[in-house]
Amino acid sequence: MTAPIVISGAASWNRILLLDRLPEPVPHMQFALAEHETIGGTSAGKALGLVGLGHAVRLHTLIGSDADGERVRRLLAASGIDLDDLPTDVTERHLNLMTPAGERVSLYLSTPADPGTPASPELVQAMADAAAIVLDLSERSRGLIATARASGRPIWTDIHDYDGEAAFHRPFIEAADWIFMNADRIGEDPIPFMETCVLRGASVVVCTLGARGAVAVDADLRRHDVAAVPVEVVDANGAGDAFMSGVLDAHLGGASLDAALDAGAGHAATVLTTRHLHPSLDALLG
């Protein structure tokens, strides 16, 4: 087993509604095809994926003392994740509207407030010892960027559907060695933005393209493409986090970028076959 991976970011409790189409912005009635509740959050997804791939993971997150928070804690602990959670006012909760095609609208029902406390000595040491540090988008993670950079360990970040302009994302982009994103809002061609990130210091930038796979730009501005692995999709939640987990696992194992992208695509496919963030949760949640 490699050195532990430190992840900072969100863990949540989610209600998922499956619809035949996303709602139109007009008053109307619509029937759900199915619904279920499950653990969510981009950082929880990455932690579950990496633990499933054999890594020790320390997840730094904010979780309330409410019933939903207890569910989240129980499931993360049962999955083998070392949970470094700060007490907060409420657990993050989402209502996700999904379609069979993987389209999603996420409604944030509650968001915990960052207490603003500095990193504990234990977290600082964990970062210094880490094989890699993953900083997911959150106010808490943004406050830890300086600590992560001071550790000298490689920083990975996921800027999701960044539009190329939002100010909140910039410190993450500037700090990261590896940047992951999707193409939902960056424009028809993500490559120019990806190349700009590399020219400004990133080692690799990866953009997922849904059913079309993913594309990466390396430190020499070379383009690398990977196809999605064909699979019967049950639920698309967490596929991007699983992709990043697979790439990180393969990279730490010494794989080339192309091989790491293949590993990411393969790992993402396993998550598409479950209603949860990772197949390991099937036995815990049903």
Side-chain angles (χ1 to χ4, degrees), residues 116-187:
T117 53
S120 67
E122 293 78 13
L123 180 58
V124 172
Q125 187 61 54
M127 286 185 171
D129 295 339
I133 299 170
V134 178
L135 295 180
D136 278 321
L137 297 177
S138 70
E139 195 63 50
R140 181 66 188 170
S141 293
R142 187 163 68 163
L144 294 174
I145 289 175
T147 303
R149 297 186 78 165
S151 74
R153 308 307 301 149
I155 297 173
W156 293 51
T157 196
D158 185 350
I159 57 174
H160 297 282
D161 58 349
Y162 181 56
D163 62 2
E165 298 180 3
F168 183 83
H169 301 61
R170 291 174 190 161
F172 293 89
I173 294 169
E174 293 167 359
D177 300 287
W178 285 64
I179 300 171
F180 284 70
M181 61 185 296
N182 64 54
D184 289 354
R185 301 179 64 195
I186 198 63

Side-chain angles (χ1 to χ4, degrees), residues 36-37 274-276 281-286:
H36 68 278
E37 290 186 287
T274 174
R275 298 191 305 167
H276 305 296
L281 292 175
D282 289 339
L284 300 174
L285 282 167

